């Protein structure tokens, strides 16, 4: 994995290009989520899999980045209709296409998987990452994966580093790492919940 320079007294989250903590959510416009900032934050989150270290996580990472690219391609093709994710979906489906919408469905599943795994691991100080990720996989991605894909992702879960090694890579100050990660995951959880609810509505069906 490529080494990342963490700022002195900082955490790995400080190296992110964008954070879900600062993704604009327009509460007065149906909780519209700004597309550009969301995609930048998703790309930043994926670098977390590099910290997990194992090549087994490469399929997980590539899957999420591929879905980011599907959404971004639609955004670039119709920028004025894609300023927020909800409008991007509505306007794409109106064209009888659903490539970006499908990409968002899968990206949200991947984000939820990561969010649940890390949140559970933070809350259970005696639980190893492999157990947290395996539990999160069963709740999020596994029900939607084919019998061919499941073993690939299961291998990644088993290849997680020990928790003490993982958190050490996130920064020298464990309390600060935990605090920033909790804030970050709370913001991600909120955004995932908004998108999951929207994607179950009739206007998001394809």
């Amino acid at each position: 994995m490529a080494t990342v320079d963490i700022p002195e007294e900082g955490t790995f989250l400080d190296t992110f290009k964008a954070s879900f903590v600062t993704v604009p959510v327009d509460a007065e416009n149906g909780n519209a989520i700004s597309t550009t900032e969301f995609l930048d934050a998703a790309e930043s989150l994926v670098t977390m899999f590099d910290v997990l270290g194992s090549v087994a996580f490469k399929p997980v990472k590539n899957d999420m980045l591929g879905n980011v690219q599907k959404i971004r391609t639609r955004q670039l093709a119709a920028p004025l209709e894609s300023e927020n994710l909800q409008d991007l979906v509505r306007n794409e489906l109106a064209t009888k296409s659903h490539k970006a919408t499908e990409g968002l469905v899968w990206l949200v599943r991947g984000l939820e998987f990561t969010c649940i795994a890390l949140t559970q691991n933070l809350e259970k100080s005696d639980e190893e990452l492999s157990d947290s990720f395996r539990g999160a996989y069963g709740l999020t991605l596994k029900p939607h994966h084919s019998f061919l894909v499941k073993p690939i992702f299961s291998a990644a879960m088993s290849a997680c580093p020990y928790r003490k090694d993982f958190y050490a890579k996130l920064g020298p100050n464990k309390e600060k790492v935990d605090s920033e990660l909790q804030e970050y995951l709370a913001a991600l959880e909120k955004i995932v919940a908004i998108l999951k609810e929207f994607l179950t509505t009739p206007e998001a069906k394809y």
Side-chain angles (χ1 to χ4, degrees):
M1 93 176 232
T3 56
V4 177
D5 291 327
I6 296 175
E8 190 174 351
E9 298 302 318
T11 73
F12 182 77
L13 296 178
D14 296 324
T15 70
F16 285 2
K17 174 184 177 183
S19 169
F20 286 104
V21 175
T22 55
V23 171
V25 178
D26 188 351
E28 295 182 2
N29 183 27
N31 284 327
I33 295 169
S34 182
T35 302
T36 297
E37 287 87 347
F38 170 83
L39 293 178
D40 287 346
E43 283 182 327
S44 294
L45 176 140
V46 170
T47 64
M48 188 77 77
F49 292 116
D50 293 333
V51 185
L52 290 166
S54 172
V55 293
F57 270 93
K58 192 170 183 181
V60 184
K61 179 178 177 179
N62 289 344
D63 183 67
M64 291 177 69
L65 287 176
N67 289 316
V68 166
Q69 188 55 50
K70 288 176 186 176
I71 301 164
R72 185 163 272 141
T73 297
R74 171 63 191 177
Q75 181 193 21
L76 292 173
L80 296 180
E81 297 178 354
S82 309
E83 292 183 357
N84 65 68
L85 292 169
Q86 291 92 329
D87 281 349
L88 182 151
V89 167
R90 294 183 189 104
N91 288 310
E92 184 195 43
L93 294 179
T95 70
K96 305 303 180 184
S97 174
H98 58 79
K99 191 171 184 179
T101 302
E102 188 176 4
L104 181 61
V105 168
W106 279 100
L107 180 57
V108 169
R109 288 171 182 162
L111 293 173
E112 184 180 31
F113 156 68
T114 311
C115 186
I116 289 175
L118 292 175
T119 299
Q120 179 171 313
N121 198 259
L122 271 178
E123 291 174 351
K124 297 183 178 180
S125 60
D126 59 342
E127 184 166 284
E128 287 295 339
L129 283 163
S130 56
D131 293 325
S132 298
F133 272 94
R134 197 174 289 114
Y137 179 61
L139 291 171
T140 55
L141 292 168
K142 188 176 182 179
H144 307 286
H145 278 167
S146 70
F147 71 95
L148 293 173
V149 175
K150 285 175 184 174
I152 297 172
F153 276 70
S154 293
M157 307 309 106
S158 300
C160 286
Y162 290 115
R163 65 174 294 135
K164 62 180 177 59
D165 298 330
F166 173 71
Y167 286 103
K169 290 178 180 178
L170 296 185
N173 185 328
K174 180 69 164 60
E175 286 187 7
K176 188 170 185 182
V177 167
D178 287 357
S179 175
E180 289 193 9
L181 196 53
Q182 284 171 345
E183 180 188 21
Y184 177 84
L185 292 171
L188 173 56
E189 184 179 14
K190 176 186 173 184
I191 286 173
V192 164
I194 291 169
L195 290 173
K196 278 185 68 178
E197 182 179 1
F198 169 71
L199 290 168
T200 63
T201 62
E203 59 185 336
K205 290 301 177 188
Y206 54 90

